[in-house]
Amino acid sequence: MIRLFKIKEKQQELSANSNGKPPGKTQSAGELRLQKDISELNLPNACSISFPNGQDDLMNFEVTIRPDEGYYSGGMFTFTFQISSVYPHDAPKVKCKAKVYHPNIDLDGNVCLNILREDWNPILNINTIIYGLYHLFTEPNHEDPLNAKAAKVLRDNPKLFAFNVKRTMAGGYMGQTLFTRCR
Amino acid sequence: MVESRISSSSRSRDLDKLLLRPGNLVGPTFEPGTQLRDDLQEYARILVVGAGGLGCELLKDLALSGFRNLEVIDMDRIEVSNLNRQFLFRLEDVGQPKAEVAAKRVMERVSGVNIVPHFCRIEEKELEFYSEFSIIVLGLDSVEARSYINAVACGFLEYDSNDEPVEETVKPMVDGGTEGFKGHARVILPGMTPCFECTIWLFPPQVKFPLCTLAETPRTAAHCIEYAHLIKWDEVHSGKSFDPDNPEHMQWVYLEAAKRAQLFGIPGVTYSLTQGVVKNIIPAIASTNAIISAACALETLKIASGCSKTLSNYLTYNGVEGLHTKVTEFVKDKDCLVCGPGIFIELETSVTLKMFIDQLEDHPKLLMSGASVRVGGKNLYMAAPPLLEEMTRSNLGLPLFELMDKSPTGVVHVTGTAGKGDKRQSCLRKLRVAFKAVGIADTDMAGGA
Ligand SMILES: [Zn+2]
């Protein structure tokens, strides 16, 4: 219930009173939960995080993965994370910044990782996603292809796949596509 | 003036039955009489958020319920596909801002009502804008927008020393929502009934298809649309982000989706389905909007006048098969970070951030170690990761009072490991901080009044 007579009174005082409160920015529930996720990060040595917009914007950050085993060992891959104001209701939007030759990542940086899409659940967190990305590099799989050509090579000719990965990580053209050096 | 009174009194015949007569089911503050009716017209200021299907209905219903000071905020322009249900709009209005046309049309038809339109995003308005309304009524279709307005309205809420909400700071919200034949109407009295965030689980997460399915094995029209929206768009428009409110962008996605559907022999891609999938909207039904809006307008009238107890607190309507409607009383999450009281802590103005963090370890309700501290969008200290720890470390020696811009009171969010023994776990808590030397003057004034 509101009390109209109080509103009446308040309208006269309003201008006088409104100075008492700090203007303050509205905090989204997503920002608060993200603060918790970030302060609890426990990353594998191969992963690091950075905040290009400084310490007060946690909603946009970058994660760099330097795989220490597997096909991509020695490479360096940076992902951008965009967090929604209703996180963790909505999953983060994650993209790979540079072109990478990978069966589960397309050439525009889209990532096929189940927990980013169909299997996202609010009990998951940023740490889970970073581990998920890390595993994409140690264990790329041909069953969820986003780059169908790379997936086919991985399935049919792992040696050629390993060679292609090395070649693209060194930078240069493969077919029509220019890869930047990332090692 | 006299003439308009006469015409409005005949128009308010039914309303008068509610407002002029006593009753048994009325709210505790109800004082029937013409004074109440006049005050309602003069002093109640209602904000309608959204001027779409629900918003059009709400403006009409509220205007006809005797409210005279209405404002409406919406960032969209009218599209042809709106015209079947957003009944305030005509073909010649296509391309005009919804808020402006809706306000104009209702004012033309309902004498005495004044509606101020705001053609902008809800985030563009200052907090003061929202604080001036008696009640905020929501006719929205997105979780994000609801969550934002909820955070703003709950931000005005203050608690007294017994952790009870201070009545004058409660900003009531009435929230309507529809999806096809289903809908809900709810009353949110921050601090008294659950806020949007307390019950966010009521909104099921959006269905998301695996990207690899979209890229390799599409089977449905929605798969084709999401492929065009999520994958093809980026491939073609390097760097330019997709704007769901730009009709040209939507048209492009529709045409790409149609091409892909043809390639895979999948039927059913239409422009309106494209809009529906991309914006996650289930086609709206005019009658559902009308029913939900009527419920919302009535609740608004009840809150403003006290002429009846409000619904407590969540009404669902389902017209898919026959008709099913039900009111559920959800409960507040007492630890809700948005509407909950938080834990009260009183501090000296000289206390540094480091001392404050140390105090949290001994606080009986917290026992929190390794705390990170956030105030009003600023991270004062982050215990981890090392990069952020380093960036925020220099704050530790500064007085918290100064870090909080010398505000006598404020809300602080802390995260860390809290609890006792086996029950220690990481948690996020809201604290209400008051500074002693500054606070005392206020307390004296309150005591003396
Ligand atoms: Zn809440």
Side-chain angles (χ1 to χ4, degrees):
Chain A
M1 302 303 127
I2 58 167
R3 294 176 198 256
L4 278 173
F5 65 89
K6 286 205 175 168
I7 293 173
K8 268 202 231 175
E9 289 166 12
K10 226 176 99 185
Q11 280 194 351
Q12 279 114 42
E13 300 168 25
L14 203 77
S15 50
N17 267 350
S18 59
N19 299 334
K21 279 206 86 182
K25 180 174 152 286
T26 302
Q27 302 239 43
S28 70
E31 281 176 281
L32 297 173
R33 159 65 194 261
L34 187 65
Q35 182 211 8
K36 178 170 184 282
D37 275 25
I38 296 291
S39 70
E40 286 170 2
L41 282 179
N42 185 6
L43 299 178
N45 284 336
C47 302
S48 62
I49 186 167
S50 67
F51 299 87
N53 305 333
Q55 68 201 47
D56 292 330
D57 180 7
L58 303 184
M59 305 295 264
N60 298 283
F61 58 88
E62 295 185 357
V63 169
T64 299
I65 300 177
R66 295 179 180 79
D68 41 15
E69 56 180 284
Y71 295 107
Y72 296 90
S73 182
M76 188 176 99
F77 308 94
T78 300
F79 292 83
T80 55
F81 279 62
Q82 261 184 6
I83 313 294
S84 129
S85 64
V86 291
Y87 176 79
H89 185 265
D90 284 357
K93 287 201 176 90
V94 176
K95 281 206 150 197
C96 189
K97 270 180 97 175
K99 275 197 175 32
V100 52
Y101 178 80
H102 192 295
N104 314 114
I105 303 175
D106 72 16
L107 297 173
D108 295 300
N110 294 303
V111 185
C112 192
L113 182 62
N114 62 335
I115 52 172
L116 286 175
R117 305 275 309 164
E118 72 275 18
D119 291 332
W120 172 252
N121 182 319
I123 63 162
L124 300 176
N125 58 33
I126 302 296
N127 221 53
T128 347
I129 295 172
I130 296 178
Y131 268 88
L133 292 174
Y134 175 62
H135 280 293
L136 280 184
F137 288 99
T138 53
E139 289 157 44
N141 79 76
H142 61 78
E143 280 161 10
D144 302 321
L146 210 48
N147 178 339
K149 280 183 197 158
K152 195 167 176 300
V153 176
L154 173 64
R155 188 190 63 199
D156 298 339
N157 190 347
K159 272 194 180 155
L160 177 61
F161 180 79
F163 174 77
N164 286 347
V165 169
K166 283 227 159 63
R167 205 175 109 192
T168 52
M169 289 200 319
Y173 277 94
M174 192 164 86
Q176 301 281 312
T177 312
L178 176 65
F179 290 85
T180 44
R181 187 180 163 83
C182 65
R183 42 186 316 146
Chain B
M1 194 66 206
V2 175
E3 272 168 26
S4 81
R5 289 254 173 206
I6 293 163
S7 74
S8 73
S9 74
S10 70
R11 198 175 71 209
S12 70
R13 189 193 61 197
D14 296 320
L15 191 62
D16 287 351
K17 288 181 180 152
L18 291 173
L19 299 181
L20 306 186
R21 308 190 300 197
N24 293 323
L25 299 170
V26 299
T29 62
F30 185 56
E31 287 174 29
T34 51
Q35 183 71 44
L36 174 64
R37 191 183 66 197
D38 295 348
D39 282 355
L40 214 55
Q41 293 178 350
E42 193 164 348
Y43 294 105
R45 291 185 60 195
I46 314 290
L47 175 67
V48 175
V49 186
L54 257 182
C56 281
E57 291 279 352
L58 285 168
L59 286 171
K60 176 257 292 171
D61 288 350
L62 291 167
L64 291 173
S65 302
F67 293 103
R68 297 210 161 173
N69 303 303
L70 300 174
E71 302 199 14
V72 57
I73 181 167
D74 194 303
M75 58 169 286
D76 285 343
R77 292 175 185 272
I78 297 161
E79 290 181 37
V80 172
S81 62
N82 301 145
L83 299 179
N84 70 325
R85 62 191 184 284
Q86 301 181 14
F87 60 91
L88 297 173
F89 308 142
R90 302 286 172 268
L91 196 54
E92 64 266 25
D93 301 326
V94 168
Q96 300 294 315
K98 287 184 179 180
E100 289 172 12
V101 177
K104 190 178 101 191
R105 288 281 143 72
V106 174
M107 284 196 287
E108 281 166 5
R109 294 289 292 270
V110 184
S111 62
V113 66
N114 183 41
I115 307 180
V116 182
H118 301 274
F119 171 49
C120 63
R121 305 182 70 89
I122 52 177
E123 296 88 352
E124 282 173 40
K125 291 285 180 191
E126 299 287 329
L127 296 181
E128 286 79 48
F129 169 77
Y130 292 102
S131 79
E132 284 173 23
F133 294 97
S134 331
I135 301 168
I136 301 176
V137 186
L138 289 79
L140 292 163
D141 57 15
S142 97
V143 175
E144 286 86 354
R146 280 195 181 89
S147 173
Y148 179 79
I149 297 287
N150 181 72
V152 170
C154 292
F156 299 129
L157 179 65
E158 287 173 25
Y159 282 88
D160 65 18
S161 51
N162 298 316
D163 287 356
E164 293 294 331
V166 178
E167 196 182 291
E168 300 89 81
T169 64
V170 174
K171 180 75 64 194
M173 283 174 280
V174 178
D175 174 44
T178 69
E179 273 194 350
F181 286 102
K182 298 180 188 172
H184 78 259
R186 70 189 295 189
V187 169
I188 299 177
L189 304 170
M192 301 161 89
T193 69
C195 83
F196 180 71
E197 232 42 76
C198 289
T199 54
I200 191 164
W201 47 269
L202 283 166
F203 288 80
Q206 190 183 346
V207 177
K208 290 196 170 162
F209 310 113
L211 285 181
C212 36
T213 301
L214 304 182
E216 296 300 318
T217 50
R219 294 182 304 276
T220 67
H223 287 163
C224 298
I225 293 165
E226 282 292 72
Y227 171 80
H229 166 217
L230 295 171
I231 296 176
K232 193 74 186 177
W233 176 273
D234 282 346
E235 217 174 283
V236 176
H237 305 84
S238 57
K240 186 163 102 185
S241 59
F242 173 80
D243 175 5
D245 298 312
N246 183 330
E248 279 171 31
H249 290 193
M250 196 61 84
Q251 182 69 18
W252 188 91
V253 167
Y254 161 61
L255 292 174
E256 283 299 320
K259 270 191 232 163
R260 188 160 175 87
Q262 201 177 21
L263 187 68
F264 285 87
I266 296 169
V269 172
T270 61
Y271 183 74
S272 67
L273 183 70
T274 305
Q275 278 186 309
V277 169
V278 169
K279 292 182 164 188
N280 191 31
I281 297 171
I282 291 173
I285 309 277
S287 56
T288 312
N289 284 341
I291 291 164
I292 293 301
S293 166
C296 290
L298 183 59
E299 292 309 314
T300 308
L301 180 65
K302 289 198 242 172
I303 295 171
S305 68
C307 70
S308 170
K309 287 176 182 152
T310 60
L311 76 81
S312 183
N313 42 42
Y314 196 104
L315 174 139
T316 49
Y317 163 84
N318 187 337
V320 176
E321 253 180 75
L323 189 154
H324 182 259
T325 178
K326 183 182 173 202
V327 175
T328 311
E329 185 165 3
F330 286 110
V331 293
K332 267 192 306 173
D333 172 0
K334 68 176 171 45
D335 294 327
C336 178
L337 297 170
V338 178
C339 75
I343 294 167
F344 181 75
I345 293 189
E346 209 175 20
L347 296 171
E348 303 285 349
T349 49
S350 57
V351 166
T352 63
L353 182 58
K354 174 81 171 73
M355 287 154 75
F356 172 69
I357 290 170
D358 291 344
Q359 277 188 25
L360 301 179
E361 289 199 39
D362 302 323
H363 193 287
K365 285 188 184 162
L366 279 165
L367 303 172
M368 180 181 279
S369 57
S372 297
V373 182
R374 184 176 171 92
V375 174
K378 282 194 288 188
N379 288 308
L380 299 186
Y381 182 69
M382 290 290 286
L387 174 77
L388 286 178
E389 199 280 331
E390 210 181 296
M391 286 161 91
T392 53
R393 196 185 298 154
S394 60
N395 283 337
L396 284 174
L398 301 174
L400 184 61
F401 184 56
E402 266 162 47
L403 289 167
M404 290 173 67
D405 296 328
K406 302 197 175 178
S407 165
T409 59
V411 170
V412 176
H413 289 95
V414 293
T415 148
T417 314
K420 269 187 212 164
D422 292 345
K423 288 186 181 162
R424 278 186 79 74
Q425 55 176 359
S426 74
C427 63
L428 171 53
R429 286 277 178 268
K430 176 177 172 180
L431 308 180
R432 259 153 61 222
V433 169
F435 291 98
K436 272 180 194 163
V438 191
I440 284 169
D442 282 354
T443 323
D444 282 348
M445 268 164 60

